[in-house]
Amino acid sequence: AGLLAFHRQDGDEQWRTTFTIITRTGEDAAGEVHDRMPVFVTPASWSTWLAPEKLEKDQVGDVLDLLDVESRAVASTLRTRPVSRAVNNVRTLDRRDAGLIEAVTRGGGDR
């Protein structure tokens, strides 16, 4: 889940766009990799999440509960696998190298 915002800065006529990825405590396999994970929204809840109306105070809890249920459900389906340590070096990795996400055997396979 994320938030998209448009705003003008100090009388500037040009609109600026910002995007925020909402995170939460890592769960299941995602929690094994990192202590935070993105909040997940499934297609079944897109219309609720993307509704353009401002939420009333009494609706906020329902939306937060929905995000919690959705995130836990998706997190329970995630699986991890060891990959090359090369993914840890953003200065030298080639982002187009599909081999970066290929499974490697534990204790070996580092490039």
Side-chain angles (χ1 to χ4, degrees), residues 16 28 33 57 66 94 98:
R16 304 203 184 269
D28 299 316
V33 176
K57 287 183 182 182
L66 173 70
D94 177 0

Side-chain angles (χ1 to χ4, degrees), residues 86-87 89-101 111:
V87 300
N89 191 340
V90 296
R91 290 185 302 273
T92 61
L93 67 83
D94 177 0
R95 295 177 190 277
R96 296 171 304 240
D97 180 3
L100 292 172
I101 60 172
R111 296 190 274 154

Side-chain angles (χ1 to χ4, degrees), residues 10-79:
D10 298 328
D12 190 358
E13 291 191 23
Q14 182 178 6
W15 284 94
R16 304 203 184 269
T17 306
T18 58
F19 182 80
T20 303
I21 296 173
I22 302 172
T23 64
R24 60 169 290 142
T25 303
E27 305 257 343
D28 299 316
E32 295 172 15
V33 176
H34 197 276
D35 63 336
R36 304 293 298 167
M37 71 177 192
V39 168
F40 297 104
V41 181
T42 66
S45 298
W46 286 354
S47 61
T48 301
W49 181 246
L50 297 173
E53 298 84 23
K54 181 177 179 179
L55 292 177
E56 299 297 327
K57 287 183 182 182
D58 63 336
Q59 296 173 301
V60 172
D62 291 339
V63 172
L64 291 175
D65 289 345
L66 173 70
L67 293 177
D68 181 57
V69 169
E70 296 269 297
S71 291
R72 288 175 186 269
V74 172
S76 72
T77 68
L78 300 176
R79 302 291 175 255

